[in-house]
Structure formats: structure tokens, C-alpha cells
Amino acid sequence: MTFAPQNPEQQRVVATQAELTVVLGGAGVGKTTSALAAAHAHLERVAESEPHDRVLFLSFSRSSVARIASRANEILGRRGSQVDIMTFHSLAFSVVRRFGNLVGHGDAVLVSPAREKLGLAQHEIGYSRLIPLTLEIAQAAPAVAEHLRTRWGLVIVDEFQDTGDAQQDLLQLIARDSRLILLGDPNQCIYTFLAEDGVRVERIDEACSAAGTENTILLPETSFRDPSGIIPAVANAIRGRLFDSEAIAAAIQDERLVIQDGIPLSDETSHVARVVSELAAEDMGVAVFTHHNDMLAALSDALEADGIEHEVAGLSDALAAALDAQTAMARFRTGDGTWGIVLEAIAVFLTSAQRGQKAPPIAYQVMNGSGPTTLQARLSALRERLSEAGSIREVIEVAATAHDVLGLPQKSGAWQQAATLLSVMYARAARTSSARDDHQMVAAICAEAREASYATLTDSALSPREVQLMNLYQTKGREADATVVVLREGDFMGYESEPFPTTSRLLYVVFSRARHKIVVLLVGNRFHAAVAPLAALAAN
Ligand SMILES: Nc1ncnc2c1ncn2[C@@H]1O[C@H](COP(=O)(O)OP(=O)(O)OP(=O)(O)O)[C@@H](O)[C@H]1O
């Protein structure tokens, strides 16, 4: 193993044998890395007595841990295959898939909240049911509970500060007899808006009390993400709202922090794409963070045109549903899917655009062939146009116009963004896949779209690419050589006032993801008071 602890505290994490250990520390101080080393040490220690023991590494975002773990192969070495890295929900889904038949849910298919509202089929279950169903299964089948309790000798929980009641219940089930290492940073608690689900920052204090001082390890402030300390100092200054601090001035001076303002909204995509291209040309991995999915879709299009490989992490429900409906149309054209599937997918899209517990009447009308004759006539016309499309490119173009053609009431933006993403996926499949005919091409596009939609449901891993585009809330646990933070006039930053504790924590997480450089792009003119001081620091 090549991991070398950088300080005695990291060494303590690696060596801990306590039943419960809490590891605290700021961004980039090595919580995840030293916990992976602790997993390795555990497996080595028990190799003779328990050769089949495993370690479970639970996180909120599988892609973030998978990214770290892929670099940490050298830490886990041959023990890598004994470490399961997954999100709470993907763990629950795996239990439901294997043992769901014990509580009448055999062959369960995970569906979006919108599809859940339509109540489509017995075997379909929604995201919010995953953990409760797992607990039900364990209750109904003591053998399953026993299996889950004994499978992992060590359970590690990343981002513990953001766990809610459901995650706690699951943890109690699986880790009752296991050793537990909890990793946390109160300053990165950014899901407090989920208070109803039991997310509360005090959970960390409670865990520390339970672990006792001897098993609570506070890692020193030094960030190993940027050993120069420049970026961590900027992130800390931003969290403390010390905009005129020496740390920020020095980072700007060194061009490690670049702030550009006065970017017109009409130039946003081209400006961001240019910055990303320049950074990528310097061989830097780049993460782009924004509040806006419309920007992500347009940016994805622009980067594809520039030939820059990238991934869009996580989509909104409506966007994922629109993507699903449009790919269903492509499958219909090639004869790989039925018209009924298209109608169902449109109904799900209509439901995803609707707030509240119920699906809108128009969703049922689309599915059942009922409702106004104009709607049915429009659907027939769409069906005909899709059937007559001469090529996959043409099908994608027809699908892109379907929202207008059908006169759907809401979320035309999401539909348009999905169309943009689909044409990017088409271009990528045409360029890179070995697909030879229309069926294979559509299958390649659908596979990518399904992966993206599935990632929104369980936050599972997308294929990591060096350029990642994501929403501000998807930043946790990630890191990149350079981060591009796009803040727009009118961005919603909650209702809090100075010192803006939640927004400041969010900015801290976002700013602390960079290894080398942070570029802040301010689009528009008048900014929310929480970020306005950044404009005053802009270079242009
Ligand atoms: N002992 C070490 N030796 C070499 N590199 C290290 C060591 N500890 C941490 N690092 C590196 O520092 C970076 C940050 O580490 P890590 O992701 O483990 O921190 P973290 O505390 O989990 O961060 P965050 O809370 O921001 O996600 C990674 O690139 C990791 O490889």
C-alpha cells in the first residue's frame, strides 16, 4: 500500500479499532482518503480470522466516492474487491431487488416520483419507498436482517453531517454489529433545507458524544487538495465572508482566483465554454457549478461542438422525464418500442412538471386516449410525423418539437434542454460508438440517457469524465483541478440575511473543490447580497 499518513491524526484514523470512530475536519484534509486507508487496514487485520469480511463505504454521491476510489486503487490494492462503495439509496435498491419478493415486491423497478404519482404498475416503486421497504424486508425476514448485519465488518459513512432519519434507520439495521467510522464536517452541511427529513447539524455532536473524546479524531486544517493552502484559505475566507482578506487578495494576485463580472446573459454559454476550453487546453480537469439546468444543457451543446468530452451530473426530474419521452419516440420510430410507451412517457413528463401529490388529468388523457379531440388529433399527427421521419437525426428533430406540437402546458424549457442533450448524445454516439444501424444508434443514445436518468434517482455513478457540469448542490465530495463557478443575476439564495450562513457554507463547499484554480463568472449586473461582494473584487 502506498498511502502515507501526513500527520498523526490521519494515522489514528487508519489505525482505529474502536467500535465507533468520528472523524472531523475541513474540506480536503483527507477524511475520505484516510478512511479508505482504514478500510484497507481493517481488511488486512482480519484477513486470517475473517477472510470474507467486507467494508461498506456509504456516501451521498456514489460518483464522488467512485472518483476518489478510482484514484485510491493504490490505497486499497488487492482489497479493492472487498470494499463496496455505494449511496444509501443504491444499497436499499440492491436489497429491494434481491429480497423484495419477501414482501410482495419481486422484480421491483425503480421509477421517478412523477411515475409513482401515476401509479403505473405493481412492481414499480419510488425513491422514497426504498429505505422503508428495506426495513420492512428486514423485519419480515430475520435471515435477511442477519445477512445485512454480518456482511460488513466495518461501515464507513461519508458526509455524515447530511444524513437524515431514513439513513439513520438504515444504518442501525446494517451496522448494529459492525464497526463504524463516521466522517463529517459541520461547515459542509448544505442540506439543512431537508430538516423535515431529519437532517440537522447537531447529529455530529451526538455522534462525538457517543464516540467519546478518545475516538473522536479532528484532522488538522491542512488541505491536501491544494497543499499550497491558497485555495483552502480562499474557501475559508468566503465562508467567513471576509471578502477583503489577505487570502483572497493574494489568490487573485497569483491568478489562482479569477473573478470576471459584467458578462451579459446572452453571452453566458459562449463565455463559460471559452473558459472551460482554455482550462482544458492547459490539461486541467474542470468542474462547472451553476444554479441553472438550462445553462448546463446549452453548455453541454457548446462543449460538444468544440469536441470537449464532458459529463452532466444529475438532471432535474422534468428534464430526465423529457429525455425519457424523447428517447421513447426514437425507439418507437425504429420499432424497438411501442406507441403506448411513448404515451406513458409523455404522461410521466406532464406529471413531473406538476407540483403536489396527484398526476394532472391531462396525463391520464394522454395515456387513455381520452380528453379533448384536439389533443388526440395532435398525438396522432405526432405519431405520423415520427413514423415518416427518414433518419434518426430527423426523429430527434421531430421529438424536439413535440412539446409545441402537442401544446403541452408546462416545462417547455426542460423539453428543450432534453432535446439539446439528446442531440449531444446523438453526435457523441455517431462519433464514438461502433453502432452501425439505426437500432444500435438509438440503443446507444437510450443507454446514455437512461444512465443519466437513473443517476438522478439513486445518485449512482456516471462515467467520470474530466469535464463535469453540475448544479451547485451536487458539489459535495468532488474535486477538480479547476472549478468554474457561474453565478447569475437573480439566482435564488434563500431568505436568510447577513451573514448568510447556509449560502456561505454552500459557497465554501463549492470553492474548496479546486486543486489549482477557481474561476468565478458573474453573469448580469445586480447580484444577491450573499454574493454581491464578489463582484467588487472582479478584475474587469
Ligand atoms: N495522506 C495523504 N497522502 C496523499 N494525498 C492525500 C493524503 N490525504 C489526502 N490526500 C489528497 O488530498 C485530497 C483531499 O482528500 P480527501 O478527499 O480525502 O479529503 P476530504 O477531507 O474527504 O475532503 P472533502 O470533505 O472536501 O470531500 C485528495 O486529492 C487526496 O488524494
Side-chain angles (χ1 to χ4, degrees):
M1 175 173 94
T2 57
F3 173 84
Q6 295 296 308
N7 47 52
E9 290 79 3
Q10 282 196 349
Q11 175 56 38
R12 276 180 67 203
V13 178
V14 180
T16 179
Q17 296 190 41
E19 287 303 304
L20 172 64
T21 307
V22 178
V23 180
L24 302 177
V29 301
K31 295 183 295 297
T32 312
T33 310
S34 30
L36 282 167
H40 179 269
H42 169 86
L43 291 168
E44 286 293 320
R45 215 168 24 242
V46 302
E48 291 220 335
S49 54
E50 309 261 359
H52 302 298
D53 197 14
R54 306 183 65 78
V55 174
L56 177 62
F57 199 120
L58 283 172
S59 173
F60 277 78
S61 149
R62 183 185 151 109
S63 54
S64 69
V65 180
R67 205 178 293 278
I68 292 161
S70 66
R71 267 188 292 120
N73 270 344
E74 64 216 70
I75 297 179
L76 297 173
R78 67 196 170 119
R79 300 287 171 204
S81 61
Q82 286 171 268
V83 180
D84 299 312
I85 299 173
M86 49 178 92
T87 63
F88 282 95
H89 283 88
S90 56
L91 168 66
F93 189 34
S94 71
V95 174
V96 170
R97 256 192 301 203
R98 271 184 80 188
F99 305 110
N101 55 338
L102 299 173
V103 291
H105 283 278
D107 293 331
V109 171
L110 178 63
V111 298
S112 65
R115 206 174 189 98
E116 207 180 351
K117 279 186 219 163
L118 279 166
L120 287 174
Q122 161 71 37
H123 65 290
E124 292 176 337
I125 55 162
Y127 176 85
S128 59
R129 286 283 291 134
L130 283 176
I131 294 180
L133 210 49
T134 301
L135 300 173
E136 261 175 59
I137 292 169
Q139 183 114 49
V144 174
E146 183 61 16
H147 166 74
L148 293 172
R149 266 183 208 122
T150 51
R151 186 163 170 74
W152 300 284
L154 171 64
V155 176
I156 299 168
V157 185
D158 205 6
E159 317 283 359
F160 181 71
Q161 71 278 355
D162 280 325
T163 50
D165 293 335
Q167 285 90 353
Q168 290 297 318
D169 291 345
L170 186 57
L171 213 48
Q172 255 158 32
L173 168 69
I174 55 170
R176 196 193 69 180
D177 302 336
S178 318
R179 289 183 48 231
L180 200 52
I181 299 181
L182 307 176
L183 314 179
D185 178 2
N187 291 327
Q188 294 187 59
C189 189
I190 59 174
Y191 291 167
T192 41
F193 58 89
L194 294 178
E196 264 181 32
D197 296 331
V199 176
R200 46 194 181 82
V201 75
E202 300 79 31
R203 226 181 260 290
I204 297 234
D205 301 333
E206 290 157 17
C208 293
S209 305
T213 44
E214 70 279 21
N215 294 317
T216 299
I217 304 171
L218 184 60
L219 293 178
E221 279 292 295
T222 318
S223 163
F224 297 100
R225 183 162 293 138
D226 169 22
S228 74
I230 294 175
I231 301 275
V234 169
N236 277 321
I238 296 286
R239 179 164 57 82
R241 302 195 59 71
L242 305 170
F243 294 96
D244 51 7
S245 69
E246 184 54 33
I248 289 186
I252 290 176
Q253 174 76 26
D254 281 3
E255 296 188 17
R256 302 284 297 276
L257 172 63
V258 175
I259 305 177
Q260 300 174 356
D261 78 343
I263 302 163
L265 188 56
S266 54
D267 290 352
E268 181 181 57
T269 308
S270 56
H271 194 106
V272 180
R274 197 169 54 245
V275 170
V276 172
S277 303
E278 284 166 7
L279 293 166
E282 288 176 48
D283 254 353
M284 290 208 219
V286 186
V288 181
F289 304 130
T290 170
H291 263 300
H292 303 279
N293 282 332
D294 62 339
M295 204 276 269
L296 293 182
L299 181 61
S300 172
D301 200 21
L303 293 179
E304 178 63 30
D306 287 352
I308 296 182
E309 281 286 330
H310 59 278
E311 85 185 43
V312 184
L315 309 171
S316 74
D317 275 358
L319 184 50
L323 204 49
D324 190 45
Q326 292 177 37
T327 51
M329 290 175 194
R331 284 203 308 276
F332 168 69
R333 169 64 187 80
T334 54
D336 297 309
T338 63
W339 182 243
I341 294 175
V342 174
L343 295 179
E344 224 173 70
I346 294 173
V348 172
F349 169 74
L350 288 163
T351 307
S352 72
Q354 177 102 354
R355 285 180 188 277
Q357 290 306 306
K358 285 206 186 119
I362 186 176
Y364 294 106
Q365 290 165 354
V366 166
M367 275 198 310
N368 305 337
S370 58
T373 48
T374 40
L375 175 66
Q376 296 309 325
R378 287 170 179 168
L379 283 167
S380 302
L382 174 66
R383 180 177 182 163
E384 206 161 310
R385 285 188 61 201
L386 286 167
S387 306
E388 286 168 356
S391 64
I392 299 304
R393 177 172 284 287
E394 207 182 311
V395 177
I396 290 175
E397 280 164 15
V398 173
T401 63
H403 194 284
D404 285 349
V405 168
L406 296 175
L408 302 184
Q410 284 166 306
K411 296 277 178 189
S412 62
W415 192 273
Q416 213 39 61
Q417 291 153 33
T420 305
L421 287 177
L422 206 57
S423 63
V424 172
M425 289 173 188
Y426 171 80
R428 189 180 288 155
R431 188 162 43 81
T432 60
S433 89
S434 56
R436 285 288 158 260
D437 62 17
D438 285 358
H439 297 279
Q440 290 175 349
M441 179 67 88
V442 168
I445 297 169
C446 288
E448 189 172 354
R450 223 184 3 255
E451 213 187 318
S453 303
Y454 184 68
T456 59
L457 294 177
T458 60
D459 201 2
S460 57
L462 292 171
S463 51
R465 295 196 172 94
E466 278 303 300
V467 174
Q468 316 148 35
L469 317 179
M470 74 201 82
N471 196 287
L472 288 176
Y473 288 97
Q474 292 162 330
T475 53
K476 282 153 68 70
R478 296 176 185 268
E479 68 179 38
D481 298 326
T483 58
V484 178
V485 187
V486 187
L487 299 170
R488 207 191 260 179
E489 174 176 342
D491 276 346
F492 178 70
M493 299 276 175
Y495 298 108
E496 58 190 21
S497 49
E498 196 73 60
F500 306 103
T502 313
T503 299
S504 299
R505 278 202 300 269
L506 179 63
L507 291 177
Y508 168 71
V509 176
V510 170
F511 276 63
S512 61
R513 299 304 98 195
R515 284 191 283 264
H516 297 302
K517 190 166 188 155
I518 304 167
V519 181
V520 181
L521 302 177
L522 298 162
V523 179
N525 287 309
R526 280 198 313 276
F527 295 94
H528 189 281
V531 297
L534 287 168
L537 297 168
N540 46 340

